[in-house]
Amino acid sequence: MTPAVLLLLFGVITAGLSLQIRVGTLRAPGSGFFPFYLGLLLLLLAAIHLAQLWREGRSRPGGDQGAGAQGSWQRVLLFLGATVLATGLLTVLGYPLAAFLLMALLLYILGVRRWVHVVVIALCAAGVSYALFVRWLQIPLPMAGFGL
């Protein structure tokens, strides 16, 4: 239940802090638009997850956690490590390659072991995010000399 509470608090903090900058509208989004609505979405999803956990805990005698609870913290720490690594390599490798490597690592951590699936999904995710942020929203991101 602790991770769900932490995600709930993170959603509240993200949405709250994004109100300090201009949120804007759907037609003219400001710098705080995405952080605000993503914070609200995280808040909503964490609340739903907390409600599910609370309902499961009431129906199960003793409220014991499943066998996967111990491994979930390890997975969260691996996710955090992969994110920190990708952030550190962002200026060295450039956004497209760093995004591809991050997605590939996250998929591996989630248990996707077929390399073809990892490569295809990571390429699609990196390509779509590049098109969204660099081409459509015109946000300058590090390219590291590859010119992608």
Side-chain angles (χ1 to χ4, degrees), residues 5-84:
V5 171
L6 290 175
L7 285 175
L8 185 88
L9 289 174
F10 186 71
V12 168
I13 291 169
T14 302
L17 288 176
S18 66
L19 288 175
Q20 294 178 357
I21 49 181
R22 191 175 79 78
V23 174
T25 64
L26 188 60
R27 289 190 180 270
S31 300
F33 184 82
F34 284 113
F36 177 71
Y37 287 106
L38 289 176
L40 287 181
L41 178 64
L42 183 60
L43 177 82
L44 174 69
L45 293 175
I48 291 170
H49 185 59
L50 270 173
Q52 289 174 339
L53 289 174
W54 182 72
R55 215 174 321 129
E56 284 178 11
R58 286 185 48 165
S59 65
R60 204 179 327 177
D64 60 340
Q65 293 188 2
Q70 185 178 6
S72 66
W73 278 105
Q74 181 183 12
R75 188 175 287 169
V76 168
L77 290 176
L78 287 171
F79 261 63
L80 181 62
T83 306
V84 169

Side-chain angles (χ1 to χ4, degrees), residues 41-136:
L41 178 64
L42 183 60
L43 177 82
L44 174 69
L45 293 175
I48 291 170
H49 185 59
L50 270 173
Q52 289 174 339
L53 289 174
W54 182 72
R55 215 174 321 129
E56 284 178 11
R58 286 185 48 165
S59 65
R60 204 179 327 177
D64 60 340
Q65 293 188 2
Q70 185 178 6
S72 66
W73 278 105
Q74 181 183 12
R75 188 175 287 169
V76 168
L77 290 176
L78 287 171
F79 261 63
L80 181 62
T83 306
V84 169
L85 178 68
T87 304
L89 293 175
L90 185 61
T91 55
V92 176
L93 299 177
Y95 178 78
L97 189 54
F100 170 79
L101 290 175
L102 174 64
M103 189 53 132
L105 278 172
L106 294 179
L107 287 168
Y108 184 79
I109 292 167
L110 283 173
V112 179
R113 297 293 186 250
R114 300 185 98 188
W115 68 271
V116 174
H117 293 156
V118 170
V119 169
V120 168
I121 293 170
L123 273 175
C124 289
V128 167
S129 66
Y130 177 80
L132 173 69
F133 291 114
V134 175
R135 298 291 182 204
W136 187 44

